[in-house]
Amino acid sequence: MSEANTTDQVEDLQSKALRELKVASDTEQLEAWRVAFLGRRGELTQVLRGLGSLPAEERRAAGAAANAARVALEQGLEDREQQIKQADAAAGMAGEAIDVTLPGWPVPRGGLHPTTRIVRDICNSFASMGFSVVEGPEVEWDTYNFEKLNIPKGHPARDMWATLWVDHTDEDGDHPMLMRTHTSPMQARVMEKSDPPVRVVVPGRCYRYEATDPTHEWHFYQVEGLAVDRGITLADLKGTLYEFARRIFGAERKVRFRCDYFPFVEPGVDMSIDCFLCDGKGCRVCADTGWIEIMGAGMVHPKVLEGVGYDPNIYTGFAFGMGPERVALLKYGIEDIRLFYANDLRFLRQFA
Ligand code: PHE
């Protein structure tokens, strides 16, 4: 082997090694590179080992070249290690960096229950017609739920309200307690506490011992209304309730009044809205009638006025009791009242 040969060989080896070093991009590749060139059986190590067998005059130059190559390779390895470390650190920071231009995380927000919404809408529409909003007890005496409403004990009209009784009576044992079946007991409570004129709406929960179907629940809300003053007539009742329907449903929905019987009004009516689902043709939701009843109403019975100490010869009034869930069915096109209290978020979220 000539002197030029070994020296050239070393130089070739050095540039090959440095080329390969440039493409090593992680610690593992660096280690493989080190083993390949500088390891115990590495290419450069072999050359260094072979120096001794070279003729003296060749050994000098080749030895110098090989040592220079080793220094260059070791230095190259160190530099490359540094570069890779810095690149890793930079990449890490980039990974952790905050992009302030990204949109923020949405904050989860609750929403109002559809009943709460519709009860508020109903109360607001009456409030703007001069009614105040009051509330009353859900656990009620039989006296207020029935007797003061002209429904004495044993009267068959009690069957209109399938009642959930509470296992409790007053001291004489005469007056049982119950879960109110309607908000009408508040008619008597309000009139007992105040002198006419009276104009109130009463939102609240009611309970009935009843089988459920698309328009009936065993627990539901009502909004009671009561207006008593001198000279109030059925025309006032109709005018007020038509105006209410126009505000809630818009002018194009059809409204129907019919005669109906409730012991605490005379005359009594009910009010229905044309069915949203079948356009009045008759379907499952409206029980094939084309109409959905949303409230009972009528002129307050003279006996009820008398019972609370109002003189029926001076004062007259109208009362109504509506089902807000029914109003919501019609307004939002909901096909089953049982959805309101089934706690299915897929339903409830649509109103949030
Ligand atoms: N309280 C009656 C019901 O629940 C509705 C009603 C209220 C009727 C006021 C007339 C007057 O069926």
Side-chain angles (χ1 to χ4, degrees):
M1 199 194 281
S2 74
E3 179 192 327
N5 261 349
T6 312
T7 311
D8 284 352
Q9 231 186 348
V10 170
E11 278 166 6
D12 284 351
L13 179 59
Q14 178 178 337
S15 44
K16 177 178 118 182
L18 291 176
R19 257 197 327 272
E20 285 185 20
L21 183 59
K22 272 199 197 125
V23 295
S25 56
D26 59 31
T27 336
E28 244 171 63
Q29 287 173 8
L30 280 184
E31 179 57 12
W33 179 90
R34 193 193 62 75
V35 171
F37 294 101
L38 297 169
R40 271 196 302 134
R41 299 217 189 101
E43 289 189 49
L44 186 62
T45 317
Q46 308 275 20
V47 174
L48 285 164
R49 277 211 195 112
L51 285 176
S53 56
L54 288 176
E57 60 289 3
E58 203 183 319
R59 201 188 303 149
R60 249 173 175 279
N67 273 323
R70 195 184 60 200
V71 172
L73 261 52
E74 282 170 356
Q75 187 61 49
L77 178 62
E78 220 170 273
D79 292 350
R80 187 72 189 131
E81 262 169 2
Q82 281 301 320
Q83 275 175 8
I84 290 175
K85 250 193 217 158
Q86 278 168 14
D88 281 354
M93 281 197 339
E96 276 170 26
I98 294 167
D99 181 350
V100 294
T101 66
L102 283 174
W105 294 105
V107 179
R109 221 163 42 114
L112 292 178
H113 190 279
T115 302
T116 310
R117 278 173 187 266
I118 200 77
V119 166
R120 288 189 184 179
D121 285 353
I122 293 168
C123 289
N124 286 341
S125 88
F126 283 104
S128 68
M129 292 190 262
F131 287 73
S132 3
V133 181
V134 296
E135 289 179 297
E138 288 172 33
V139 182
E140 186 52 285
W141 295 109
D142 164 279
T143 323
Y144 283 94
N145 198 83
F146 292 125
E147 281 174 41
K148 286 176 192 271
L149 294 172
N150 194 28
I151 316 168
K153 275 206 179 58
H155 193 285
R158 287 202 177 198
D159 294 351
M160 291 169 72
W161 296 274
T163 308
L164 288 159
W165 297 94
V166 173
D167 192 9
H168 183 77
T169 49
D170 69 349
E171 276 154 23
D172 333 328
D174 258 4
H175 300 292
M177 236 182 199
L178 46 77
M179 302 303 291
R180 69 176 172 195
T181 59
H182 50 181
T183 41
S184 300
M186 278 301 285
Q187 291 185 27
R189 285 187 179 274
V190 167
M191 289 190 283
E192 280 178 351
K193 282 232 169 79
S194 45
D195 293 328
V198 166
R199 248 189 261 166
V200 290
V201 283
V202 188
R205 291 169 196 267
C206 304
Y207 304 82
R208 287 188 198 173
Y209 181 59
E210 243 176 24
T212 67
D213 69 27
T215 51
H216 292 85
E217 254 291 13
W218 66 271
H219 145 265
F220 53 92
Y221 275 68
Q222 280 194 345
V223 179
E224 191 80 10
L226 176 70
V228 184
D229 201 348
R230 289 168 195 262
I232 291 194
T233 70
L234 189 71
D236 297 307
L237 178 158
K238 287 184 81 177
T240 307
L241 294 180
Y242 271 130
E243 177 58 19
F244 156 77
R246 198 187 59 74
R247 289 184 189 197
I248 293 284
F249 299 110
E252 59 296 333
R253 288 301 277 276
K254 285 190 211 129
V255 182
R256 179 183 79 175
F257 277 103
R258 281 191 316 183
C259 289
D260 202 346
Y261 169 70
F262 302 95
F264 35 94
V265 289
E266 180 56 36
V269 297
D270 62 47
M271 180 173 153
S272 303
I273 308 288
D274 62 321
C275 180
F276 66 94
L277 193 62
C278 61
D279 271 336
K281 287 186 205 75
C283 69
R284 187 180 72 92
V285 177
C286 59
D288 288 327
T289 63
W291 297 92
I292 295 178
E293 188 183 323
I294 59 163
M295 70 173 103
M299 299 307 290
V300 182
H301 198 289
K303 277 200 186 161
V304 175
L305 294 173
E306 235 163 44
V308 296
Y310 284 16
D311 184 346
N313 295 312
I314 304 177
Y315 295 105
T316 51
F318 66 81
F320 58 85
M322 76 174 81
E325 293 92 350
R326 297 259 186 109
V327 175
L329 290 188
L330 287 156
K331 192 171 158 88
Y332 301 129
I334 299 163
E335 293 183 23
D336 199 313
I337 207 165
R338 290 167 290 195
L339 286 165
F340 282 86
Y341 308 113
N343 278 339
D344 186 335
L345 289 177
R346 290 169 303 180
F347 170 73
L348 297 173
R349 283 211 175 102
Q350 298 175 56
F351 300 89

